[in-house]
Amino acid sequence: MNDILALWILKPTNLWTKIWHEAEDRARPTLFGYYGLNFAVSTFPVIALAIIGFIYLHLLPRKPRIRQARSSATALSNPLVVNSIVGILSSFEILLVFLFVIFLVWTYYARISNDFKKLMPVKSLKLNTWQLKYLRVATRFGLLAEACLALLLLPILRGLSLFRLLGIQFEASVRYHIWLGTAMIFFATIHGGSTLFVWGVSQHIQDEMWRWQKTGRIYLAGEIALVTGLVMWITSLPQIRRKKFEFFYYTHHLYIIFLIFFLFHAGDRHFYMVFGGIFLFGLDKLLRFIQSRPEACILSARVFPSKAIELILPKHAGKASSPCKVTFMRNIYTTPKFFVIPIAGLKFTPTSVIFMKIPSISKFQWHSFSITSSSSVDDQTMSLVVKCEGEWTSSLYQMIHAELDSDADQMRCIPVAIEGPYGPATMDFLRYDSLLLVAGGIGITPFLSILQEIASAQSNRKYRFPSKVQLIYVIKSSQEICLLNSISPLLSNQPSKKWHLTLKVFVTQEEQSSVTVREVLNDLSLVRAVRFGTQSNYAVNGLESLIWMAALVGITSILFVIFLISLNHIFVPVEKKLPSEKLAAPSEKVVSKEKTPSWVADLIILSSFIIAITGSTLMAILLRWRRLKKQTPPVSLNQGKAVQVLGPIEEEHEINFGGRPNFEEIFSELEKETAGSDIGVLVCGPESMKESVAKTSQRKSQCFMMNANKDKPYFNFHSLNFTF
């Protein structure tokens, strides 16, 4: 990591330029070549960071073993800035943004100051001094766009995500992709627009903008890349993305055209600086495609009020042991069955998400959903809850309803393709004495898995989970309480349990009622269930191991270097030097690279990458096929349609009508009940609710820092992005 930072800081300086030119000249006649040197210095550090990171995450214990200590690192994760424009920003995020801005300013200043000292006229253009300076200003803005592009794809990696090293999940890191993309388009637009302006005022625009040069910058390629980038950025604006998701989804795949023409425009040397993220993204994309094959089938579904659906999917259960009698916790199972119980299978951490595609609705659209079940509780299935509001989810709702209205005893199979699960590498975010969970509407979904995981770990003494949990659930209608059905056993009166769960429900759009939590959960008329046929012999297998992915990344990079060197020696041979030429200065040595069009080197990079990715893909397919061949077919569970009636519910669970929660009051009560303990605050729901909780947590944490009292509770804020 330090090498990457040092490279980026030193690259704009004259010292680096001098050292680098000498290093390239020494590497040029070798087998490695200047292209191998560029890859090793500019690209491979990012790949090496990914490999080391995967090995590190593999060695981390998944479950927390010690309590979260109060430290400066913990304080950095708490919100520092909360407003409706930028959202919720932690001290750590603000620090990173500040350092990146400083780096951009330093890069621009170092480059432009050197350009102005050595201002050279452009041979093809007759420009006066101010036009020439403005052209240099425009050119250097392209370097700022390049710096943003180097990081642009890293936040949206899923299986090969580097942000898991920082404990940041995919759904949270997407906003960094948005920030970087916006900054990149801003700098690129200034770069391209200002260059066209200079050409226009000098009356050379017709000659320059359509040029496809043999060597150097290819202007036409840059213009195509800029237009493509602008189309992608405009269609990704919230006003378009939310209303026309399909339009956004399909136009965003123009990134392939954008990256190819950026390569032709910037040249191979500049491309190596951004190639690390592109390399990992391309490999990640293909691994996700392989993982989603073959398709599984939905086992069953339950339809809740307010157009919410719970889907039950089969998951890989590992090797089997002897059959035994099992009573499933899920409420639609009412009769004990004899099944083969797995020893080990697909495991995932709470708050994990999957990406799902239903070909019968759309062959191309993928949508993310939070997993509501715990792999520690359910070995054979996984569940998720879908809130049917958009076009795709509404089609799913209508499909399930059509099956419910049919008279068939067992419905037809609904094939689904699954990517994931993607989630935190460990459960360190649960290493607190107490937890405050704040959910709004469908934002309850990640907390369902958290609560089941905490409950299942109580019998294991070596893992440390919170002993006190308070769940604040804000909903519009009391019928939405049915979404808590999967954790209803945890809400029952269990005085012997080692942890304490308290529920407070706030119904905002209903007047006062005498209904209780137990009555709503036990109302059988609110939930309808349906089971489907299981024609597929495959279950959700999940990701490959982190060690396997680290090895695959390493193998792919080796294949790329091999083909890069081979193709360069075939199509761009270096001239052999005579003894007298070896004594000449590096600048006097003439190599065949200068006689070859620059786009040839660009095509060699592209071809080497495609060949390396293809080889790794074939290897991944072979390993996947061998794994599926050994897999035990998923068990077809005979789900019933009845909802289990619960026992008594603790009276301390509250349901409030006609108002929203007072978070100041809730936090103050927790301070009194948990004196001297660390409290983890997790919130998932609408942005307005997140900001309200973050502001309250911010004030309480600042109060703690001012008082410096160890006996005063300290609130640690975490914001979760819900998916439905």
Side-chain angles (χ1 to χ4, degrees):
M1 188 66 181
N2 292 332
D3 294 339
I4 299 175
L5 295 176
L7 171 62
W8 280 33
I9 293 173
L10 289 176
K11 190 178 180 183
T13 63
N14 289 328
L15 175 62
W16 173 264
T17 302
K18 180 181 178 181
I19 295 174
W20 185 248
H21 284 170
E22 293 175 354
E24 275 197 340
D25 287 333
R26 287 194 298 269
R28 199 184 300 274
T30 65
L31 176 67
F32 206 47
Y34 84 95
Y35 33 82
L37 179 65
N38 273 274
F39 176 82
V41 175
S42 301
T43 300
F44 188 72
V46 177
I47 299 173
L49 178 63
I51 295 173
I52 296 171
F54 296 148
I55 297 173
Y56 169 75
L57 291 176
H58 176 77
L59 298 176
L60 280 179
R62 193 173 69 94
K63 295 188 178 182
R65 297 176 181 269
I66 58 174
R67 292 292 189 207
Q68 179 77 22
R70 295 177 184 176
S71 63
S72 57
T74 302
L76 285 175
S77 65
N78 280 333
L80 182 64
V81 175
V82 182
N83 61 55
S84 57
I85 299 176
V86 297
I88 304 170
L89 297 179
S90 66
S91 304
F92 180 70
E93 289 173 324
I94 293 175
L95 176 62
L96 289 182
V97 171
F98 175 75
L99 292 176
F100 186 65
V101 171
I102 292 296
F103 163 74
L104 293 179
V105 172
W106 157 247
T107 299
Y108 193 81
Y109 169 77
R111 291 292 192 182
I112 202 68
S113 59
N114 184 58
D115 288 344
F116 284 176
K117 290 177 183 177
K118 302 177 181 179
L119 204 60
M120 299 293 292
V122 181
K123 295 181 180 180
S124 60
L125 301 175
K126 296 180 180 180
L127 305 178
N128 55 37
T129 303
W130 79 266
Q131 292 172 345
L132 192 57
K133 286 185 176 181
Y134 190 62
L135 182 62
R136 300 312 301 166
V137 168
T139 301
R140 293 312 177 188
F141 266 102
L143 288 179
L144 303 185
E146 178 185 308
C148 295
L149 179 58
L151 302 175
L152 180 65
L153 298 176
L154 297 180
I156 55 174
L157 296 176
R158 297 179 191 172
L160 303 180
S161 175
L162 297 180
F163 278 78
R164 283 191 292 175
L165 293 170
L166 303 175
I168 301 174
Q169 296 189 51
F170 170 79
E171 294 297 323
S173 64
V174 167
R175 68 173 178 169
Y176 307 141
H177 173 75
I178 297 173
W179 295 349
L180 289 167
T182 301
M184 183 194 70
I185 291 298
F186 174 74
F187 294 136
T189 302
I190 295 177
H191 167 67
S194 298
T195 302
L196 290 174
F197 172 75
V198 172
W199 290 346
V201 296
S202 62
Q203 298 181 351
H204 290 88
I205 191 168
Q206 292 292 336
D207 299 328
E208 298 295 325
M209 71 179 299
W210 303 111
R211 288 181 62 189
W212 189 281
Q213 299 93 313
K214 183 177 180 180
T215 58
R217 303 286 181 270
I218 299 177
Y219 299 146
L220 181 58
E223 294 154 14
I224 295 173
L226 177 58
V227 172
T228 305
L230 284 171
V231 171
M232 294 169 60
W233 180 77
I234 292 172
T235 56
S236 66
L237 293 174
Q239 297 85 344
I240 298 177
R241 186 181 70 248
R242 292 170 183 168
K243 295 181 179 179
K244 300 289 184 180
F245 179 81
E246 289 190 7
F247 189 51
F248 151 76
Y249 180 81
Y250 294 128
T251 55
H252 230 60
H253 283 75
L254 293 173
Y255 71 85
I256 299 175
I257 296 176
F258 171 81
L259 292 175
I260 290 175
F261 282 97
F262 170 81
L263 169 61
F264 287 134
H265 173 66
D268 56 343
R269 287 177 173 84
H270 284 272
F271 190 74
Y272 283 116
M273 285 297 297
V274 306
F275 187 49
I278 297 171
F279 181 94
L280 293 176
F281 178 79
L283 187 58
D284 182 72
K285 192 84 172 177
L286 286 173
L287 288 178
R288 283 155 41 194
F289 176 81
I290 295 170
Q291 186 214 341
S292 65
R293 269 67 175 175
E295 297 172 347
C297 280
I298 299 175
L299 292 178
S300 66
R302 290 194 296 168
V303 180
F304 295 104
S306 303
K307 297 188 71 174
I309 298 176
E310 182 187 41
L311 302 179
I312 314 298
L313 303 173
K315 73 180 182 71
H316 178 45
K319 295 181 181 180
S321 63
S322 58
C324 64
K325 189 176 182 179
V326 179
T327 302
F328 289 89
M329 286 185 61
R330 196 169 310 287
N331 298 324
I332 58 173
Y333 308 132
T334 57
T335 307
K337 303 289 182 182
F338 284 90
F339 294 108
V340 175
I341 298 303
I343 297 174
L346 173 60
K347 297 294 182 181
F348 47 84
T349 49
T351 73
S352 294
V353 300
I354 61 171
F355 283 77
M356 182 171 68
K357 179 183 72 173
I358 302 181
S360 56
I361 297 178
S362 174
K363 295 185 181 298
F364 303 103
Q365 285 192 42
W366 293 85
H367 293 261
S368 59
F369 301 96
S370 297
I371 300 176
T372 58
S373 58
S374 168
S375 57
S376 300
V377 175
D378 199 334
D379 288 315
Q380 291 185 312
T381 64
M382 62 194 304
S383 62
L384 53 96
V385 175
V386 181
K387 188 66 178 293
C388 303
E389 292 182 337
E391 183 178 345
W392 189 90
T393 52
S394 295
S395 299
L396 174 61
Y397 185 81
Q398 294 170 5
M399 181 185 298
I400 301 296
H401 253 284
E403 298 294 342
L404 279 170
D405 295 336
S406 66
D407 298 329
D409 181 55
Q410 182 167 290
M411 312 306 173
R412 63 184 178 87
C413 170
I414 300 180
V416 293
I418 300 295
E419 288 182 10
Y422 305 111
T426 68
M427 286 183 275
D428 286 348
F429 64 98
L430 298 178
R431 290 190 307 175
Y432 297 105
D433 300 314
S434 303
L435 270 184
L436 174 62
L437 309 179
V438 183
I442 196 62
I444 191 65
T445 51
F447 298 146
L448 299 179
S449 61
I450 288 176
L451 293 173
Q452 293 180 67
E453 188 73 32
I454 294 175
S456 68
Q458 296 305 311
S459 60
N460 197 329
R461 293 184 177 181
K462 70 178 181 178
Y463 299 134
R464 302 294 301 273
F465 283 97
S467 57
K468 180 178 178 59
V469 180
Q470 183 171 122
L471 174 60
I472 308 297
Y473 189 26
V474 185
I475 52 180
K476 296 178 180 179
S477 168
S478 60
Q479 292 183 340
E480 294 183 52
I481 299 177
C482 288
L483 294 180
L484 301 176
N485 206 262
S486 61
I487 61 166
S488 54
L490 308 181
L491 299 172
S492 300
N493 187 15
Q494 300 176 18
S496 62
K497 62 188 177 184
K498 300 178 182 179
W499 67 295
H500 190 71
L501 171 62
T502 305
L503 170 66
K504 292 184 179 180
V505 180
F506 292 84
V507 184
T508 60
Q509 296 185 5
E510 287 185 7
E511 298 300 326
Q512 188 67 34
S513 172
S514 59
V515 68
T516 64
V517 174
R518 179 192 175 193
E519 290 173 350
V520 176
L521 290 176
N522 282 340
D523 191 346
L524 307 184
S525 64
L526 297 178
V527 182
R528 301 176 65 190
V530 58
R531 61 186 177 87
F532 298 95
T534 54
Q535 298 174 5
S536 174
N537 290 326
Y538 300 101
V540 178
N541 282 268
L543 304 172
E544 302 293 345
S545 69
L546 290 170
I547 290 293
W548 184 90
M549 288 194 287
L552 191 66
V553 171
I555 292 172
T556 307
S557 61
I558 292 173
L559 288 175
F560 173 79
V561 172
I562 291 174
F563 284 103
L564 179 70
I565 293 174
S566 301
L567 293 177
N568 267 283
H569 277 270
I570 293 173
F571 295 103
V572 191
V574 178
E575 289 183 352
K576 294 182 179 180
K577 307 298 177 188
L578 298 174
S580 59
E581 290 179 305
K582 294 181 180 180
L583 300 176
S587 59
E588 297 174 355
K589 295 179 182 179
V590 180
V591 294
S592 61
K593 166 70 171 65
E594 298 173 350
K595 301 177 182 178
T596 306
S598 58
W599 52 264
V600 173
D602 302 337
L603 286 177
I604 288 175
I605 293 177
L606 188 60
S607 301
S608 302
F609 180 54
I610 293 174
I611 295 172
I613 286 287
T614 302
S616 298
T617 301
L618 293 175
M619 186 186 308
I621 291 174
L622 177 62
L623 293 175
R624 182 77 169 181
W625 176 77
R626 292 184 62 184
R627 179 180 175 184
L628 292 174
K629 192 176 180 180
K630 298 177 182 179
Q631 175 181 308
T632 304
V635 179
S636 178
L637 304 176
N638 295 321
Q639 297 91 341
K641 295 187 179 182
V643 179
Q644 186 178 18
V645 179
L646 302 178
I649 300 291
E650 292 187 12
E651 294 181 358
E652 62 179 323
H653 299 314
E654 300 177 7
I655 180 168
N656 305 278
F657 291 87
R660 299 182 181 276
N662 185 332
F663 293 114
E664 286 283 352
E665 182 179 321
I666 291 172
F667 275 63
S668 298
E669 290 178 359
L670 269 179
E671 284 182 321
K672 297 176 183 178
E673 297 173 3
T674 59
S677 65
D678 283 335
I679 303 173
V681 181
L682 279 69
V683 58
C684 185
E687 290 299 322
S688 58
M689 189 180 74
K690 288 184 184 179
E691 293 168 8
S692 179
V693 176
K695 288 179 181 178
T696 306
S697 176
Q698 184 183 29
R699 287 192 292 268
K700 295 295 181 181
S701 298
Q702 289 173 349
C703 180
F704 166 82
M705 299 301 290
M706 292 174 62
N707 294 332
N709 185 357
K710 292 184 179 180
D711 295 329
K712 189 177 182 63
Y714 185 72
F715 293 91
N716 304 272
F717 179 86
H718 300 269
S719 174
L720 302 179
N721 291 330
F722 63 92
T723 53
F724 57 89

